[in-house]
Amino acid sequence: MISTTFNRYIWLVNTLIQSGRLTFEEISRKWEYSSLGEGKPLSLRTFHAHRKAVEELFQIDILCDASDGYKYYIEDLSVLRENKTRQWLFNSFSTVNLIAEGRQMQDRILLEDIPKGTEYLQTFIEAMKQNRIVTITYRPFYEAESTFYHVSPYCLKVYRQRWYMLGYCEELNGIRHFSLDRIQNMNTTETGFDYPFGFSPEAYYKDSIGIWVNEKIKPEKVIIRTYGIQSQYLRTLPLHHSQKEIYTSEQYCDFEYKLCITQNLISELLAKGNAVQVMEPESLRIEMKKNLYNMFNYYK
């Protein structure tokens, strides 16, 4: 459980995000009625200490506008929204904070579970900070026996409730990803590695959906047609950052992407059922047909 002090920082940011601009008196009043305040007002000294801590932890500046009745506000929320790691950390801590505040309602707050593997996160992060090679005993779902690998960890990624580590594997002589929940044992070695100059994990994944990346495949134009409320779902939660809405009618909407065609993409589209139809390219339409035909045979 995160500390009470950290909870205070989260509370202050969330209060200003939800309310916009507030005077110190208004902030103090909200604090007094919150579970953290315990019926006591917030002191001005403590408030400014929290402002400074928020700036240091999240790079979020809380400013005061004297021309608007000395109201406090968050200068630029895009700082939080554009940094995915910082936003994820803040949202995670916010969730823990809210659950802690409403312990009596914990059976009415349902969260998605992440399988085992999170116990390795700290070790991987330390290895990445120090550029140390790690050894892992790994058993994928499609293998009967486990294998021992030496890996230079480049980055960590979450996909579909699983943590993955991407890095260079000596035994496989290339960049590979490993699911943390399939690691049976790991250790950090004293051997260092050189992080490849110019390598960007974000750029590595930018043309793909999910975790699978085939460097031999080039991205191409993909157009899908959506029916019903699926269009609204994609507008609010895009399938990929390259998404563009290119046609809209009362019956359907067309979305265009620049993507590598991988099994992860096919799985995502199949999961949307008859609310999505692939229009281009023809090669993807053929793959969708193959998958649908196989599914149809299961139910014969």
Side-chain angles (χ1 to χ4, degrees):
M1 189 61 66
I2 55 179
S3 70
T4 302
T5 303
F6 205 94
N7 287 344
R8 292 166 175 248
Y9 308 152
I10 299 295
W11 178 90
L12 179 58
V13 176
N14 278 333
T15 297
L16 289 172
I17 289 175
Q18 295 168 21
S19 301
R21 292 171 171 250
L22 294 171
T23 65
F24 168 70
E25 290 73 19
E26 290 171 331
I27 294 172
S28 179
R29 195 176 306 118
K30 286 179 177 292
W31 169 263
E32 186 175 354
Y33 289 107
S34 73
S35 61
L36 291 173
E38 298 179 343
K40 299 177 182 178
L42 182 67
S43 73
L44 185 61
R45 181 179 178 181
T46 300
F47 167 67
H48 287 305
H50 290 357
R51 280 180 63 194
K52 184 177 180 181
V54 165
E55 179 181 350
E56 293 175 352
L57 285 168
F58 302 110
Q59 283 74 59
I60 297 175
D61 294 324
I62 299 175
L63 304 182
C64 180
D65 188 351
S67 65
D68 189 25
Y70 292 94
K71 290 185 177 179
Y72 291 91
Y73 65 98
I74 294 176
E75 181 185 29
D76 186 10
L77 269 178
S78 65
V79 173
L80 182 63
R81 291 168 178 155
E82 292 173 2
N83 187 309
K84 293 180 181 178
T85 302
R86 191 179 300 144
Q87 184 181 43
W88 182 85
L89 285 170
F90 182 80
N91 289 341
S92 298
F93 283 129
S94 294
T95 302
V96 173
N97 185 30
L98 290 171
I99 293 174
E101 286 195 49
R103 291 187 184 91
Q104 70 276 16
M105 299 186 69
Q106 61 184 2
D107 60 330
R108 294 167 63 184
I109 302 174
L110 308 179
L111 303 174
E112 290 188 341
D113 182 39
I114 292 182
K116 66 182 290 290
T118 53
E119 65 269 25
Y120 298 122
L121 282 175
Q122 182 175 340
T123 306
F124 273 121
I125 291 172
E126 289 298 322
M128 288 193 295
K129 285 168 59 180
Q130 300 172 31
N131 283 346
R132 299 283 187 182
I133 291 175
V134 299
T135 59
I136 61 172
T137 304
Y138 190 75
R139 182 185 174 187
F141 292 142
Y142 51 83
E143 295 288 350
E145 302 292 333
S146 58
T147 307
F148 186 77
Y149 294 119
H150 291 78
V151 185
S152 303
Y154 290 173
C155 75
L156 293 165
K157 179 179 172 68
V158 177
Y159 178 62
R160 286 191 171 181
Q161 299 172 246
R162 295 183 191 276
W163 278 101
Y164 293 87
M165 181 270 293
L166 178 77
Y168 180 83
C169 179
E170 294 180 9
E171 287 78 7
L172 298 175
N173 193 29
I175 296 177
R176 298 290 189 273
H177 69 266
F178 299 89
S179 177
L180 268 59
D181 67 321
R182 276 157 257 172
I183 294 176
Q184 298 177 329
N185 187 38
M186 77 162 291
N187 288 288
T188 304
T189 72
E190 294 298 318
T191 307
F193 69 91
D194 294 324
Y195 187 79
F197 178 78
F199 180 80
S200 167
E202 186 171 353
Y204 181 81
Y205 286 110
K206 75 179 180 66
D207 295 322
S208 299
I209 283 179
I211 201 71
W212 293 97
V213 174
N214 187 334
E215 297 178 38
K216 297 179 182 179
I217 298 177
K218 299 297 181 184
E220 53 188 302
K221 181 171 71 174
V222 174
I223 297 178
I224 64 172
R225 179 163 292 173
T226 60
Y227 301 92
I229 62 172
Q230 184 60 54
S231 304
Q232 297 285 6
Y233 282 114
L234 286 180
R235 289 189 188 111
T236 54
L237 187 61
L239 184 66
H240 187 255
H241 64 81
S242 65
Q243 176 173 297
K244 293 190 296 185
E245 189 168 346
I246 59 175
Y247 181 79
T248 306
S249 71
E250 293 183 0
Q251 288 76 37
Y252 59 83
C253 295
D254 288 347
F255 293 91
E256 180 182 313
Y257 306 86
K258 184 181 179 182
L259 281 169
C260 293
I261 297 176
T262 63
Q263 189 57 48
N264 277 155
L265 171 60
I266 294 170
S267 297
E268 288 282 353
L269 296 175
L270 287 170
K272 300 185 185 303
N274 62 2
V276 166
Q277 178 187 2
V278 174
M279 307 304 293
E280 297 182 25
E282 183 61 26
S283 60
L284 180 55
R285 287 176 60 86
I286 291 173
E287 287 300 318
M288 293 291 288
K289 289 177 184 177
K290 288 180 181 177
N291 280 269
L292 290 168
Y293 181 76
N294 290 336
M295 290 172 65
F296 173 75
N297 282 336
Y298 291 153
Y299 293 95
K300 271 189 173 182

